[in-house]
Amino acid sequence: MDYKLLTPGPLTTTQTVKQAMMVDHCTWDEEYKTITQEIRQKLLSLAGASPVEYTTILMQGSGSFGVESVLSSVIGPTDHVLVCVNGAYGRRMVSMCERHHLAYSVYEVAEDEIPQATDIKSILVNDPTISALAMVHSETTSGILNELEEIAALAKDNELLFIVDAMSSFGGIPIDVTALSIDFLVSSSNKCIQGVPGFSFTLAKRAQLEQRTEFSRTVSLDLYDQYETMEKDGKWRFTSPTHTVLAFHQALKELDAEGGIYQRYMRYLTNNRLLRQKMSELGYQPFIKQHQGPFITSFLYPKQSAFNFDHFYQHLKQNGFVIYPGKISSVDCFRIGNIGEIYPEDIDQLVKVIENYSEVAYVS
């Protein structure tokens, strides 16, 4: 049966985005390379970034491939990166640093707290060798939205390379990459732009990229080599996900038709507020009390000791909705996303299904 994905991506896409994938393209074709270049320029425009100061690099693979591409390509042998962690995706960046033998330190706070600029400032005072700062913007482990402004200002004041994983936030909330002086921002085709999985993209400050041409520790994820090839005419170095690229091109047009990032943000925010209000009325409590993002919410298991997530999940799926299991390390949760082709009427219908769940909750 058809169902709606209430997840942080992959997510429910429009029929027109799906339809765009029904065309086969050759990667060397001039029309296809033009589409790649149009995508690169459009992403810069969405970020409010000048093509003189910034560039866009598309990279095959999931969002994590993009994050690893950046970390393994731009952190030099004399660099020391401070990784801010308040969830699984910050910890994943730490794992990447470990695997590539990068010099790194970890600043970790609880999963329901956000990194604080004052704490980072103290760390920098105590360790002047730190030259780079990496953090997640929207931590989908919990749904918390980390604040960028003060940390971005601190990075700029201390001349730190600033790397931001904006996987589930870019395109769904305004981010002024230039004003924040972000050096490398990474996101993915299957998040708030509302495309399908297949590639990540990095908005990179050209000056920093050009200084870091020899640092890559891999062949496939070499960010500078990908940039250099793509800059010529839009060609990807290796086989690209052609159908995903076509879907993303269409999704960008639909973002414009919706009114741009701010209007999409308002829809997501409306969905999220309605979801949390209705779930609260049913007795489901959110894990995040402050700094809740507009993309996905973690809800604590209800107090009934017999609550079975798998049973709950299957009931929702049979009634047209798919959600995510929890990822919080300390408490039992499940997660409901509200991005993608989702509207308030979908949230209303979901909550009715959950409200009726008690009637079948303990039927084996």
Side-chain angles (χ1 to χ4, degrees), residues 105-360:
S105 297
V106 178
Y107 162 50
E108 185 165 5
V109 298
E111 290 167 326
D112 60 349
E113 298 177 7
I114 63 172
Q116 299 291 336
T118 51
D119 293 342
I120 296 172
K121 187 174 182 178
S122 296
I123 293 170
L124 296 176
V125 168
N126 291 324
D127 191 345
T129 69
I130 292 171
S131 59
L133 179 63
M135 67 177 290
V136 176
H137 184 208
S138 171
E139 179 51 89
T140 54
T141 301
S142 62
I144 203 165
L145 186 69
N146 294 325
E147 294 181 0
L148 288 178
E149 286 77 8
E150 288 188 10
I151 295 176
L154 187 65
K156 185 176 182 180
D157 290 345
N158 287 271
E159 299 182 341
L160 304 180
L161 192 72
F162 191 31
I163 299 168
V164 177
D165 171 344
M167 210 60 60
S168 61
S169 59
F170 185 83
I173 191 170
I175 303 173
D176 190 331
V177 171
T178 303
L180 295 168
S181 197
I182 297 171
D183 293 297
F184 296 91
L185 179 145
V186 190
S187 192
S188 175
S189 61
N190 60 294
K191 302 291 185 176
C192 295
I193 304 294
Q194 298 186 183
V196 300
F199 70 90
S200 65
F201 53 88
T202 298
L203 304 181
K205 195 176 285 186
R206 288 181 186 268
Q208 289 293 349
L209 186 64
E210 295 286 352
Q211 293 174 29
R212 298 165 183 276
T213 62
E214 305 293 334
F215 296 161
S216 181
R217 294 152 178 88
T218 75
V219 173
S220 297
L221 298 180
D222 188 323
L223 192 70
Y224 183 80
D225 274 7
Q226 186 89 332
Y227 156 75
E228 195 173 40
T229 302
M230 200 163 275
E231 194 74 355
K232 292 176 184 176
D233 61 2
K235 181 74 173 66
W236 303 55
R237 284 181 305 152
F238 309 127
T239 302
S240 63
T242 54
H243 300 85
T244 297
V245 170
L246 298 177
F248 192 75
H249 193 237
Q250 174 63 26
L252 286 169
K253 295 176 183 177
E254 295 181 12
L255 175 59
D256 277 346
E258 186 169 349
I261 289 176
Y262 183 75
Q263 290 303 319
R264 182 157 291 178
Y265 165 60
M266 292 306 296
R267 172 162 63 88
Y268 288 169
L269 187 62
T270 298
N271 287 345
N272 187 264
R273 287 175 173 172
L274 180 63
L275 172 68
R276 289 186 289 121
Q277 175 195 330
K278 295 283 189 179
M279 289 293 282
S280 177
E281 291 170 0
L282 295 181
Y284 290 88
Q285 297 302 311
F287 174 72
I288 297 298
K289 300 300 190 290
Q290 292 182 302
H291 308 291
Q292 171 67 54
F295 310 112
I296 189 169
T297 304
S298 291
F299 291 99
L300 301 171
Y301 280 10
K303 296 189 183 300
Q304 300 98 311
S305 59
F307 178 80
N308 183 294
F309 173 76
D310 290 338
H311 191 267
F312 181 66
Y313 175 91
Q314 290 300 330
H315 176 77
L316 267 56
K317 185 175 181 180
Q318 289 165 12
N319 284 275
F321 298 98
V322 167
I323 66 171
Y324 255 25
K327 210 172 176 73
I328 304 298
S329 59
S330 58
V331 293
D332 290 327
C333 293
F334 59 86
R335 293 176 291 166
I336 301 179
N338 55 260
I339 63 175
E341 191 65 4
I342 300 297
Y343 295 86
E345 52 266 33
D346 298 309
I347 302 299
D348 285 333
Q349 182 59 38
L350 168 73
V351 173
K352 287 178 183 176
V353 171
I354 294 174
E355 186 176 16
N356 293 334
Y357 175 68
S358 59
E359 299 176 8
V360 298

